[in-house]
Amino acid sequence: DIQMTQSPSSLSASVGDRVTITCRASQTIDTYLNWYQQKPGKAPHLLIYAVSSFHGGVQARFSGSGSGTNFSLTITNLQPEDFATYYCQQSYRTPLTFGGGTRVEI
Amino acid sequence: QVLLVQSGGEVKKPGASVKVSCKASDYTFTTYGVNWVRQAPGQGLEWMGWISTKDGNTNYAQKFQGRVTMTTDTSTSTAYMDLSSLRSDDTAIYYCARGRSPFDWFDFWGQGTPVTVSS
């Protein structure tokens, strides 16, 4: 199975900050890397797919980058509604696997 | 707006089976497959498998092979996930999520179905 390692597992930040979450795959996954946001008690929802493409009405302050095995999600100008847990996911090979999550706290 | 509405929470005894439903609306059901993902209390996300709504082909995570059965009913645009031989560590929230193929992102999710396994 492809292991997805996220770091950090949690971080504290303030409104207006810029934060970066990294995700490393145990083998190359090309550009089959997606990011999800989950708020407490809610289902996850898709933020970014195929490394850097926005889903739906995702705000432009979110951006994704990377290739091969190393990827990152950056949130600029952090807003109150961005405090949540973020998961990366590889869809290159089954079983599809997720990173352990990064909790972004105030 | 695409909507996936799941069935309500369940409480089951160890060894029993549970069947969770996921009813889709506002899109053509057979143009997207359905994934099932679970999340144990306080834990991360775990993919269980994917089913094609066109032909019923499935792709199960090996961990669940032999215990999970995914089906669809195109007449009602509903997907089902049946998990048997339940254990306490199957206690989790179970989500359905739409995806064109097993190698695709999950663009819409159901609200989740809590399943508790307890004697």
Side-chain angles (χ1 to χ4, degrees), chain B residues 1-4 22-34 53 77 97-99 108:
Chain B
Q1 170 72 336
V2 170
L3 209 55
L4 299 174
C22 171
K23 183 171 175 59
S25 59
D26 286 353
Y27 72 95
T28 302
F29 184 63
T30 51
T31 58
Y32 288 81
V34 176
T53 53
S77 299
R98 194 179 81 160
F108 289 95

Side-chain angles (χ1 to χ4, degrees), chain B residues 40-79:
Chain B
Q43 301 301 306
L45 301 168
E46 181 175 32
W47 180 77
M48 300 178 69
W50 174 90
I51 182 166
S52 167
T53 53
K54 279 184 191 173
D55 57 18
N57 280 346
T58 55
N59 187 322
Y60 297 150
Q62 184 152 8
K63 175 177 178 175
F64 300 100
Q65 287 273 5
R67 281 211 303 145
V68 71
T69 304
M70 296 178 188
T71 56
T72 63
D73 181 346
T74 56
S75 70
T76 60
S77 299
T78 303

Side-chain angles (χ1 to χ4, degrees), chain B residues 10-15 86-89 91 115-119:
Chain B
E10 304 263 12
V11 179
K12 296 290 183 181
K13 293 197 182 302
L86 289 169
R87 308 183 287 255
S88 58
D89 62 359
T91 294
V115 174
T116 301
V117 182
S118 173
S119 55

